[in-house]
Amino acid sequence: MSLFEPKKVCLFSAISGVITLNGEPAKGAHVKRIVEKFYSSGHNTDETMTDDNGYFELPAVFDQSFLGKFLPGEFAIPQQVFVTYGGEEYKVWAGVKRTKDENSEARGNELVVQCKLDSEPQAIAVDRGFYYTQCSWGVETDED
Amino acid sequence: MDSILEPRDAAKFADNVYILVETQLPEELLAALNLFYGTKMDISAENITSAKTGGPGFIKSTTAFGLMAFGKGAYEGHAFVILRGTKKTFPADWLTNFNLATSRSTRGQLVHDGFNQAFLSMRAQLKAFITGFAGRGVRTVHCIGHSLGGGLATLCAEFLEANTTLKPYLYTFGAPRVGMAPFATSLTNSLSYERMYRIYHRTDIVPCVPFWPFVHAPLQEKEEVYDYFQPSPGSFPAVEMHDMAEYLKTIGKQGWSELRGKRDEHFGEQGINRWLNDKASVSFHVTNLEWLDKAISYVVGKCLKAMGMAMSNAFSATFTLMDRLAYILRKGINLATAISDLVLNLIRKMMSMLGMKPILEKADATHAFITRIFQQMSARVGAYCQRALDSVLVNGQGM
């Protein structure tokens, strides 16, 4: 790490995947992602639309800080993803990311998800983090 | 059965409380609590929503988050209070410009007002929680927290001890100093040090603050009193060493007896005298700061004893701390030679740590001079913390 390089942490890894409703791709669904910052207050919001296959992708979100803004602190980042489709809003993802590394949501693998708007949300623990979500990404969950 | 938690379980409880965040909807909160605590504690929707009116549940105030719950299964008859601060990072001004404002704890002892205010914001919920103890057959209470949460857990333990017939177990990880010596003494006496599990990394910066006269409980006045000091690399604080992930790593699967007794230094009377009498110059690093801390405590105690004053009366909220400290030490210089020499050696030691030539005669150690040395030391500790924080940022690790 060079002298003037800021400390960089990953708030939400790059995410991509397919959104469906009753087995059909959710075409042209609006995807909004909100993630809280670590080094300052406030949050970062970005959005996209799904294509004809219900596919979407969003890049990784980072936070960084230069000298003086770094304090001992526990990394616990609230993440939310909302999907608006057919006039309904679905909260498909409520997570708390607990490690600063990229792709920690998927234990180091790319975060490629399948989200079913008609499914019941599942609660899982991954890498000390917590995800309450309608998406699945085949990740191995934490043992008790 | 009255039993302690295994270190790993206590650490996981303290760590998992960070998955409770402000943005969670009630069903998300409930799912989180069930997933992380549900096999060991009674987590029901009723408990969560009843938090406003009393009983177990989710603690949410402007300054603190936490969980109050009754155990189940292997933990039947246990009650848990698990806390964290709301801020993601430890407040900067608490590390660097020590706000020395104090207020009275449950047992009337002087404690850091910042921690106390946070504790008071959740006290009503804690009171309501206690009312359920008899009905649930609670025999054992555990107060658990990391960082600010550890400070709050300490105040909760004092409150629960004072307001129930139970003696809580207290588990803290990288907690700051909550109160002054009389608070630490009082808590150590009422809980007993065997029930206090204070785990901290040597180079975690948070347990270094606020600087003296704030001290940790259990107070290590007697040889047999121990804490759970964990050696960590380097002699300079590293912010990473404050992370719960590092504490989980350090603890691993070790038991309490394995985690105990890992320090090389022995802060007994002999050791402190040896450190004070050693003429070699001392550098400003984390081990010497700990020695200095113990030495100030020891020397002030000696002065007060000779003056026939109790520590609890020595520090009222009305005097500025540095001023009061200087007054006591100046008085000490006028006492018997043995005490006078101790005080002078202590001040010389501080001068040495501040990079000054430790040449000091009895006549030069005026009240004003001692006050100034203390102020400089306090400012230096503040700057030291800032430098430690900066260095982590620049290097990605401690110096």
Side-chain angles (χ1 to χ4, degrees):
Chain A
M1 195 182 256
S2 85
L3 191 63
F4 297 106
E5 197 178 318
K7 185 94 181 176
K8 197 171 169 186
V9 296
C10 179
L11 303 176
F12 204 136
S13 306
I15 182 171
S16 65
V18 174
I19 301 172
T20 60
L21 176 64
N22 301 323
E24 296 295 318
K27 296 176 192 173
H30 179 244
V31 181
K32 183 167 85 175
R33 177 171 66 168
I34 303 170
V35 62
E36 257 181 46
K37 291 179 182 171
F38 180 56
Y39 293 115
S40 55
S41 57
H43 49 263
N44 188 95
T45 304
D46 58 0
E47 44 207 308
T48 187
M49 303 290 278
T50 56
D51 66 13
D52 286 351
N53 301 315
Y55 178 83
F56 77 100
E57 53 184 37
L58 287 164
V61 184
F62 295 96
D63 196 5
Q64 57 184 38
S65 168
F66 285 94
L67 282 175
K69 291 201 171 178
F70 195 71
L71 289 163
E74 198 61 22
F75 193 80
I77 303 298
Q79 307 175 324
Q80 299 180 89
V81 179
F82 295 91
V83 173
T84 309
Y85 182 66
E88 293 270 341
E89 187 182 70
Y90 304 83
K91 188 172 181 179
V92 300
W93 181 287
V96 182
K97 192 172 184 283
R98 291 297 315 278
T99 52
K100 296 164 187 167
D101 309 325
E102 204 171 346
N103 294 330
S104 67
E105 296 93 333
R107 289 194 191 281
N109 297 315
E110 278 182 33
L111 180 56
V112 181
V113 299
Q114 279 196 304
C115 308
K116 295 177 178 169
L117 300 179
D118 49 303
S119 67
E120 278 300 312
Q122 301 294 312
I124 60 166
V126 179
D127 211 355
R128 294 161 62 233
F130 170 67
Y131 304 94
Y132 186 77
T133 176
Q134 290 177 302
C135 306
S136 56
W137 59 104
V139 68
E140 197 184 318
T141 58
D142 289 356
E143 285 170 32
D144 185 38
Chain B
M1 196 185 72
D2 187 45
S3 62
I4 56 161
L5 300 174
E6 286 302 317
R8 187 172 167 72
D9 288 333
K12 280 177 95 172
F13 287 159
D15 182 47
N16 288 339
V17 80
Y18 284 100
I19 50 114
L20 307 178
V21 294
E22 259 170 334
T23 51
Q24 269 157 347
L25 299 172
E27 66 264 30
E28 294 162 7
L29 177 67
L30 190 62
L33 290 173
N34 260 316
L35 186 63
F36 286 90
Y37 297 101
T39 59
K40 290 164 181 133
M41 297 173 205
D42 190 4
I43 306 291
S44 66
E46 203 178 295
N47 287 347
I48 302 310
T49 50
S50 71
K52 271 182 216 143
T53 51
F58 175 45
I59 298 171
K60 187 179 172 187
S61 77
T62 50
T63 43
F65 267 166
L67 172 69
M68 296 182 300
F70 294 117
K72 70 178 190 190
Y75 293 107
E76 192 72 46
H78 293 237
F80 296 89
V81 180
I82 308 167
L83 302 166
R84 59 168 283 199
T86 44
K87 285 195 176 155
K88 275 174 288 203
T89 55
F90 197 90
D93 55 340
W94 293 17
L95 283 171
T96 53
N97 328 301
F98 304 129
N99 177 356
L100 293 178
T102 55
S103 52
R104 299 277 174 185
S105 72
T106 304
R107 287 206 178 274
Q109 303 298 345
L110 291 177
V111 292
H112 187 286
D113 190 52
F115 301 127
N116 207 23
Q117 291 309 321
F119 165 71
L120 292 174
S121 74
M122 61 171 71
R123 190 174 58 179
Q125 266 181 272
L126 205 56
K127 267 186 183 165
F129 183 47
I130 292 173
T131 60
F133 279 20
R136 297 293 298 235
V138 170
R139 300 176 303 271
T140 310
V141 192
H142 307 280
C143 300
I144 306 164
H146 166 243
S147 191
L148 287 182
L152 295 173
T154 305
L155 290 169
C156 279
E158 188 202 40
F159 179 83
L160 289 168
E161 191 279 328
N163 288 282
T164 68
T165 55
L166 303 167
K167 279 187 194 295
Y169 286 102
L170 173 64
Y171 312 81
T172 65
F173 303 88
R177 304 162 181 201
V178 177
M180 298 202 211
F183 169 78
T185 305
S186 154
L187 190 67
T188 309
N189 290 340
S190 56
L191 292 186
S192 88
Y193 68 88
E194 289 105 326
R195 286 174 179 259
M196 302 165 90
Y197 298 88
R198 180 169 88 84
I199 300 190
Y200 68 105
H201 286 133
R202 188 171 67 108
T203 50
D204 179 351
I205 197 165
V206 173
C208 299
V209 300
F211 186 55
W212 216 88
F214 291 91
V215 296
H216 282 290
L219 201 62
Q220 291 178 287
E221 278 173 329
K222 297 181 190 121
E223 291 286 339
E224 70 266 27
V225 177
Y226 48 78
D227 56 22
Y228 292 84
F229 165 91
Q230 301 301 313
S232 45
S235 58
F236 204 74
V239 294
E240 274 83 356
M241 292 319 289
H242 183 59
D243 288 355
M244 223 21 245
E246 291 298 326
Y247 279 104
L248 285 166
K249 232 186 275 172
T250 298
I251 291 162
K253 288 180 175 155
Q254 296 182 87
W256 292 114
S257 56
E258 292 163 277
L259 289 167
R260 192 154 63 216
K262 291 201 173 171
R263 70 163 73 249
D264 302 326
E265 304 92 3
H266 298 283
F267 299 110
E269 186 160 348
Q270 276 192 343
I272 290 170
N273 272 302
R274 211 179 308 122
W275 187 78
L276 280 172
N277 290 325
D278 186 358
K279 298 275 187 290
S281 68
V282 280
S283 59
F284 200 99
H285 67 65
V286 76
T287 304
N288 278 332
L289 262 185
E290 200 166 7
W291 274 108
L292 176 65
D293 222 56
K294 306 288 179 195
I296 297 174
S297 215
Y298 172 73
V299 174
V300 171
K302 283 273 177 197
C303 292
L304 290 173
K305 204 172 167 196
M307 288 155 67
M309 239 169 123
M311 187 76 95
S312 54
N313 299 326
F315 293 101
S316 65
T318 47
F319 289 90
T320 72
L321 293 165
M322 298 302 165
D323 206 48
R324 197 73 185 149
L325 202 54
Y327 169 80
I328 291 163
L329 291 175
R330 179 60 234 177
K331 283 269 182 202
I333 290 176
N334 296 332
L335 295 168
T337 318
I339 293 175
S340 173
D341 285 349
L342 269 180
V343 175
L344 290 173
N345 277 342
L346 175 69
I347 300 164
R348 287 183 190 123
K349 218 71 185 177
M350 284 198 273
M351 291 166 76
S352 172
M353 281 177 82
L354 289 167
M356 299 157 77
K357 273 213 171 105
I359 300 165
L360 179 71
E361 292 308 321
K362 200 167 163 177
D364 300 327
T366 59
H367 181 188
F369 181 79
I370 301 171
T371 306
R372 200 164 70 239
I373 293 293
F374 266 99
Q375 282 167 344
Q376 279 186 28
M377 184 54 78
S378 188
R380 184 68 199 273
V381 174
Y384 180 71
C385 289
Q386 189 62 58
R387 200 155 60 89
L389 303 175
D390 292 350
S391 83
V392 169
L393 181 62
V394 173
N395 303 326
Q397 58 184 38
M399 272 165 65

